[in-house]
Amino acid sequence: KYLITRSNDKRLQRISIENRAVEKDFGQVSDSLITAMKISADGEKLFLGDILGYLKLMSLTDGKTIKHFAK
């Protein structure tokens, strides 16, 4: 089990709840402030929404962008 966090500098991290340590630092994943996040049902992907209204789907395993959606 893990927790996904975002910071004001548009960085994203996956933190282990059990170990209370950063498992993966995805770095800056957006050009705009991230305002919404939703983990997929399988726990392997993350939807990110930004302040400009863009939506992105990314992998929580390697941090790669799977798809960019329009506003």
Side-chain angles (χ1 to χ4, degrees):
K1 299 195 178 205
Y2 52 84
L3 174 70
I4 303 297
T5 64
R6 65 109 181 137
S7 63
N8 286 337
D9 64 356
K10 305 159 199 126
R11 297 178 66 82
L12 200 70
Q13 291 182 330
R14 184 179 67 216
I15 300 171
S16 166
I17 293 172
E18 184 178 316
N19 300 331
R20 298 181 182 175
V22 174
E23 287 183 339
K24 178 82 173 162
D25 186 342
F26 296 105
Q28 185 177 340
V29 297
S30 177
D31 293 330
S32 300
L33 182 65
I34 298 166
T35 56
M37 297 188 292
K38 175 69 176 166
I39 298 173
S40 63
D42 62 10
E44 295 181 12
K45 295 176 275 309
L46 180 71
F47 288 94
L48 297 171
D50 70 20
I51 198 162
L52 299 176
Y54 290 99
L55 182 65
K56 176 181 188 176
L57 177 62
M58 67 174 278
S59 166
L60 281 175
T61 349
D62 58 15
K64 292 185 180 178
T65 298
I66 298 169
K67 182 164 180 141
H68 280 279
F69 298 91
K71 287 185 179 183

